Amino acid sequence: MLTSTHLLFAFLTLAAVTAIGIYSMKHIHSAADFALGGRSAGTALLIGAIAGTIAGGAATIGTAQMAFQYGLSAWWFTLGAGISCIILGLFLAKPLRESGMTTGPAFLGQVYGGQAQAFASIFSSVGMFLNIIGNVLSGVALLTSIFGLPPFTAACIAIILIISYVVFGGVWGAGYVGLFKLTLIYTALLITGLLAYSMGGGLAGFRAALPPQPFFSPFGRGVGTDLAAGFSLLVGIFSTQTYLQAIFSAKDIRVARKAALISGVITPPIGFAGILAGMYMRIHFPDIPANEALPLFILNFLPGWLGGITLATLLISLVGTAAGLVLGISTMLTHDIFKRLIYPQATDRQVLTFSKAAIVAVAAVALVFAGSNINSVILKWSILSMGLRGATICLPLLFAIFCKDFVRPRAGLAAIILAPLTTIFWAAFGSPAIDPLYPGMLVSLAALVAGSLGQQKRVGSS
């Protein structure tokens, strides 16, 4: 039951985050400060931007929802994200930071030309947009379970919070809020997970109450489905502007690499705590809506003050993640489309104004889509999102870094266009037994290799 204590501590937590968002405004003096923090961000801020963005509604409420339905296989989201961050730190941070670029598509544009940059920006934005919808749906689940609000009203509140937390401070706001929420979410979910494990009677209690299949299999939804989910996250993280933008913002290569590696280590435990809560609620409250498993556990079993902080933290987590994604889309639309193709002579103030207007526009469109898909599964949006981003960016990015003397620009352009279109087509019309990411990646690889074999790359071609 929601009490005044819950409300008081939730309000105090949200007020603290709002203050942090406003504080971040002091760093914004130009469009470069808004998008990249003046390329002076330290390790802690980057961890907030990377791990703080991952630890959103899908990693918490969405993971508990899927654990309620399928059990252990819900871990693939945060596990795949953690592995991807480690790859980002070990192999990609150095060449990305050395490039001096602002966006991932701009990095690709150096190798494949301007058209490739524009198409990569468009398809990446669509992929990130799908993940925003997933986080808005998490907000709907949280607000409806706590306050009993109508779903569309809850979606409106989530969108307003998303806009307010990033439109002021840009990458600084995303980093500061991300670091604060990451500290809170880690503490809150650690307590939640331990409490669920203890109340459930430990591993023996969970095993006695739930069938081995699907709840204790890492492939509870099927080997192909769950491996595809993990692979989507693996390629999706380092194909996403939000995380690349954090690397571009680092003050040096060492900081970029360190932040990515730490983010990779601390991300998977967040999902496991959500799994324990989701499975506990499945045992004891099997008739509740699956997407309300984590909020209702917190509301019913944590002390009022801690429950209030935790509920507010969950709201912050999904808001912060969606805000980081909205910022990433805004940055690509601003630098890859507006400034490069539409209005190259734009002043710094005009670029900054367009960036903020794009944030509001993207969030408004997300509200329309989320309002039409209130009852859909949260993680499905996030995993499809990662797959689309991965199909668009992953292999062209890896080829641009490690095989740039081999791959031809037109081959890269073909891969960037054909792979996401294949992924979308397969998601709509293909066999559900094969994840859309796989045909998309196959087409990307074929385009890059076949389009480059037998011909020498022409330096400077586009």
Side-chain angles (χ1 to χ4, degrees):
M1 178 184 296
L2 187 68
T3 67
S4 58
T5 304
H6 286 111
L7 294 174
L8 173 62
F9 280 88
F11 173 79
L12 292 175
T13 305
L14 291 173
V17 172
T18 302
I20 291 171
I22 294 172
Y23 169 80
S24 67
M25 291 177 61
K26 75 170 192 157
H27 296 284
I28 306 302
H29 305 292
S30 67
D33 290 336
F34 188 82
L36 295 175
R39 299 191 196 272
S40 61
T43 302
L45 190 70
L46 293 185
I47 292 171
I50 297 173
T53 299
I54 295 171
T60 54
I61 296 172
T63 296
Q65 177 192 24
M66 189 165 284
F68 184 95
Q69 297 170 309
Y70 300 104
L72 192 60
S73 62
W75 203 18
W76 283 107
F77 185 90
T78 50
L79 188 62
I83 295 171
S84 185
C85 286
I86 291 173
I87 294 174
L88 178 62
L90 290 177
F91 303 108
L92 306 181
K94 184 176 186 293
L96 289 171
R97 180 61 185 84
E98 284 180 338
S99 72
M101 293 292 104
T102 301
T103 68
F107 184 90
L108 297 180
Q110 295 180 110
V111 178
Y112 305 125
Q115 286 184 312
Q117 178 178 346
F119 279 108
S121 180
I122 292 168
F123 283 120
S124 294
S125 295
V126 173
M128 293 167 68
F129 180 79
L130 296 178
N131 204 3
I132 295 169
I133 296 173
N135 279 278
V136 174
L137 293 175
S138 296
V140 171
L142 182 62
L143 292 170
T144 54
S145 63
I146 296 173
F147 300 108
L149 295 173
F152 188 73
T153 301
C156 290
I157 292 173
I159 288 293
I160 291 170
L161 290 172
I162 288 166
I163 293 172
S164 66
Y165 284 146
V166 75
V167 78
F168 296 115
V171 74
W172 287 101
Y176 279 133
V177 171
L179 187 60
F180 180 71
K181 78 158 188 177
L182 187 63
T183 303
L184 290 179
I185 203 69
Y186 229 88
T187 304
L189 285 185
L190 175 63
I191 295 171
T192 298
L194 290 174
L195 184 59
Y197 184 79
S198 175
M199 292 169 53
L203 181 60
F206 279 87
R207 283 190 173 277
L210 294 170
Q213 287 290 341
F215 289 95
F216 296 97
S217 169
F219 309 109
R221 297 182 300 155
V223 174
T225 299
D226 284 317
L227 282 181
F231 187 61
S232 294
L233 269 295
L234 184 65
V235 303
I237 291 294
F238 60 77
S239 302
T240 299
Q241 171 62 22
T242 304
Y243 309 108
L244 299 180
Q245 194 164 334
I247 299 299
F248 293 140
S249 302
K251 66 180 180 181
D252 56 43
I253 295 169
R254 183 187 65 84
V255 166
R257 178 177 287 126
K258 184 178 178 181
L261 292 175
I262 293 175
S263 296
V265 171
I266 66 177
T267 295
I270 295 173
F272 196 71
I275 288 171
L276 291 172
M279 292 173 69
Y280 178 88
M281 296 300 282
R282 176 58 181 257
I283 295 170
H284 297 280
F285 303 93
D287 296 326
I288 66 170
N291 62 354
E292 296 182 10
L294 185 58
L296 289 178
F297 181 94
I298 293 166
L299 198 60
N300 286 284
F301 298 112
L302 265 58
W305 65 271
L306 181 59
I309 293 173
T310 306
L311 290 171
T313 301
L314 288 178
L315 183 57
I316 294 164
S317 72
L318 65 93
V319 165
T321 293
L325 294 168
V326 170
L327 176 64
I329 294 175
S330 167
T331 302
M332 289 190 293
L333 293 178
T334 300
H335 292 272
D336 298 326
I337 305 298
F338 175 72
K339 189 175 180 181
R340 185 180 173 277
L341 299 177
I342 298 175
Y343 194 16
Q345 67 271 30
T347 65
D348 189 78
R349 179 177 291 276
Q350 289 170 326
V351 170
L352 182 59
T353 299
F354 182 87
S355 295
K356 294 185 176 184
I359 287 171
V360 176
V362 170
V365 176
L367 174 62
V368 174
F369 276 81
S372 303
N373 295 274
I374 290 295
N375 294 316
S376 54
V377 177
I378 294 164
L379 276 190
K380 286 185 178 179
W381 287 95
S382 299
I383 291 170
L384 177 60
S385 163
M386 291 293 183
L388 183 57
R389 286 178 258 169
T392 303
I393 300 293
C394 179
L395 290 179
L397 179 68
L398 295 179
F399 271 68
I401 292 174
F402 301 110
C403 308
K404 65 180 179 180
D405 293 328
F406 164 76
V407 66
R408 296 194 68 202
R410 70 181 185 185
L413 174 61
I416 288 168
I417 295 174
L418 295 178
L421 290 177
T422 301
T423 300
I424 294 169
F425 179 85
W426 197 275
F429 305 108
S431 169
I434 301 175
D435 189 274
L437 174 63
Y438 293 147
M441 294 286 284
L442 184 62
V443 167
S444 180
L445 180 62
L448 287 165
V449 174
S452 301
L453 285 176
Q455 299 188 48
Q456 185 177 0
K457 178 184 173 185
R458 294 174 300 181
V459 177
S461 60
S462 60

